[in-house]
Amino acid sequence: MPRRAVSLIILAALMSGCTDTPRGGSPPVVTERGGQLFKERCAPCHPNGGNVLTPGKTLHAGVLADHGITTPADIVKKMRNPGPGMVRFDETTIPDADARLIADYVLATFR
Ligand code: HEC
């Protein structure tokens, strides 16, 4: 087999490995913008992923999971339909793309 064909096969194998995302979409990533928005919009009530108003409802993964929040979409849903004490962030205040960056930041940062 020519060398080029061999490297193409290896390349194809590597690439298919990279696109093999886990169930439920790609893993959450921390972006500078996500972190900045979190600091501006969420940190006043959720410093370091805590909760100054409802101490039992922090943003730490285990606590979130206990409350049925396991994906970025679940966190965005919370921003759109918050519980008592939390301000509502609609699409005008935080557009979906930014909401997703914040959600990814939360899931990747507070474990
Ligand atoms: C004015 C204070 C306040 C702000 C600002 C705020 N939250 Fe909250 N948050 C709360 C309170 C109070 C709760 C508990 C009530 C509830 O379940 O919604 C809460 C709950 C949550 C929960 C559920 C936590 C759990 O363990 O069940 C998530 C997720 C969350 N907030 C995300 C966010 C995000 C993301 C932002 C920023 C876009 C934000 N919050 C901004 C007060 C706030």
Side-chain angles (χ1 to χ4, degrees):
M1 200 185 295
R3 266 180 92 134
R4 218 171 127 240
V6 173
S7 43
L8 278 177
I9 290 165
I10 293 171
L11 188 67
L14 284 172
M15 279 166 57
S16 67
C18 289
T19 56
D20 198 18
T21 48
R23 260 161 59 91
S26 43
V29 279
V30 172
T31 56
E32 205 174 310
R33 183 168 173 79
Q36 183 60 33
L37 287 167
F38 179 84
K39 217 164 76 185
E40 288 169 11
R41 305 293 196 157
C42 321
C45 296
H46 297 290
N48 296 315
N51 191 326
V52 296
L53 294 172
T54 313
K57 294 213 167 170
T58 70
L59 306 185
H60 295 279
V63 176
L64 289 180
D66 282 349
H67 302 147
I69 300 171
T70 56
T71 65
D74 293 336
I75 294 186
V76 175
K77 215 188 299 169
K78 191 69 165 181
M79 294 184 225
R80 305 308 190 207
N81 293 296
M86 178 163 153
V87 281
R88 179 167 177 264
F89 299 95
D90 60 18
E91 291 83 351
T92 326
T93 320
I94 303 182
D96 281 340
D98 281 346
R100 172 65 199 238
L101 292 183
I102 295 174
D104 272 8
Y105 175 84
V106 167
L107 283 179
T109 305
F110 309 116
R111 305 202 152 270

